[in-house]
Amino acid sequence: MHSESFPRITIALDGFAACGKSTLAKDLCAALDYAFIDTGAMYRAITCWALREGVEPDASLPWARWLAGLPLEWQMSDGKFRVVLDGRDIEEEIRSMSVSARVSDIAALSAVRAFLVRQQQILGQHGGVVLDGRDIGTVVFPDAELKIFVTADKEVRIKRRFEELQAKGYSVTEAEVRANLAQRDHIDSTRLDSPLQAAPDVVWMDTSAMSRALQLQIALEEARWRCQKKNGWAAR
Ligand code: DC
């Protein structure tokens, strides 16, 4: 893949937790020399701050004012997306079970969503980006050239997330991971503000039994085809 020859489009990856979105997003970014925007990490960062401050996910609290003053930064470099709170990289903290247990409640707050959607639109405004999340193809970039809705079998998702957390050294049981994914699936898809939904023009990708290489190949073919359709562009 010659990245210079590929138009700087916007690629939206949506789906439930642990379906393989971020792996595919990173592979696409490496292949196309695009920037990765991990929108879940942004919701997790605000959750981290709320836990630290002992703030409840209560919509009647002055969230918009707090968010405007939060010492949060988003950094995109070397294919990595990092969240920095108070000048400190908080990648490890945002993946902890305490953050996972609370993040869907925080992400259901309209003030939080409005703030982060705006930030994501600014970060992705020039294209050449892959965003992974829940509302990218429906709310953040409804005109994204390519939208993929990633799915995977429930047991596969539980196993993947459990092994991933274990490999990172978190002490967690499979039952906790199962309960957390079920709770987040429910809240993320039933909340009132921009629930997880597939946009009408998505490409469906079930990653349960699909190799990483094949997922990337399919996504690249879809990206190429959509560029050709939209701009009359042809890959060299
Ligand atoms: O992708 P993730 O599992 O790191 O996301 C953490 C939570 O953030 C997820 O349970 C729901 C929320 N989220 C969201 O509501 N909208 C997004 N665009 C991304 C994540």
Side-chain angles (χ1 to χ4, degrees), residues 17 21 38-41 43-44 95 103-104 107 113 132-136 161 184 188 191:
K21 299 186 300 295
D38 179 350
T39 66
Y43 287 93
R44 286 172 179 273
R95 306 291 160 196
V103 63
S104 289
R113 301 206 70 79
D132 120 36
R134 304 292 188 285
D135 58 345
I136 310 302
R161 184 49 51 92
R184 287 205 285 141
D188 295 346
R191 66 180 175 228

Side-chain angles (χ1 to χ4, degrees), residues 13-18 21-22 38-44 47 94-95 99-100 103-108 113 116-117 120 132-136 140 161 180-181 183-185 187-188 191 193-194 196:
L13 303 184
D14 285 307
F16 289 106
K21 299 186 300 295
S22 71
D38 179 350
T39 66
M42 299 168 85
Y43 287 93
R44 286 172 179 273
T47 305
I94 62 172
R95 306 291 160 196
V99 169
S100 295
V103 63
S104 289
D105 291 325
I106 297 286
R113 301 206 70 79
L116 286 185
V117 166
Q120 290 152 15
D132 120 36
R134 304 292 188 285
D135 58 345
I136 310 302
V140 184
R161 184 49 51 92
N180 176 252
L181 290 186
Q183 179 216 26
R184 287 205 285 141
D185 285 359
I187 301 175
D188 295 346
R191 66 180 175 228
D193 192 338
S194 37
L196 171 60

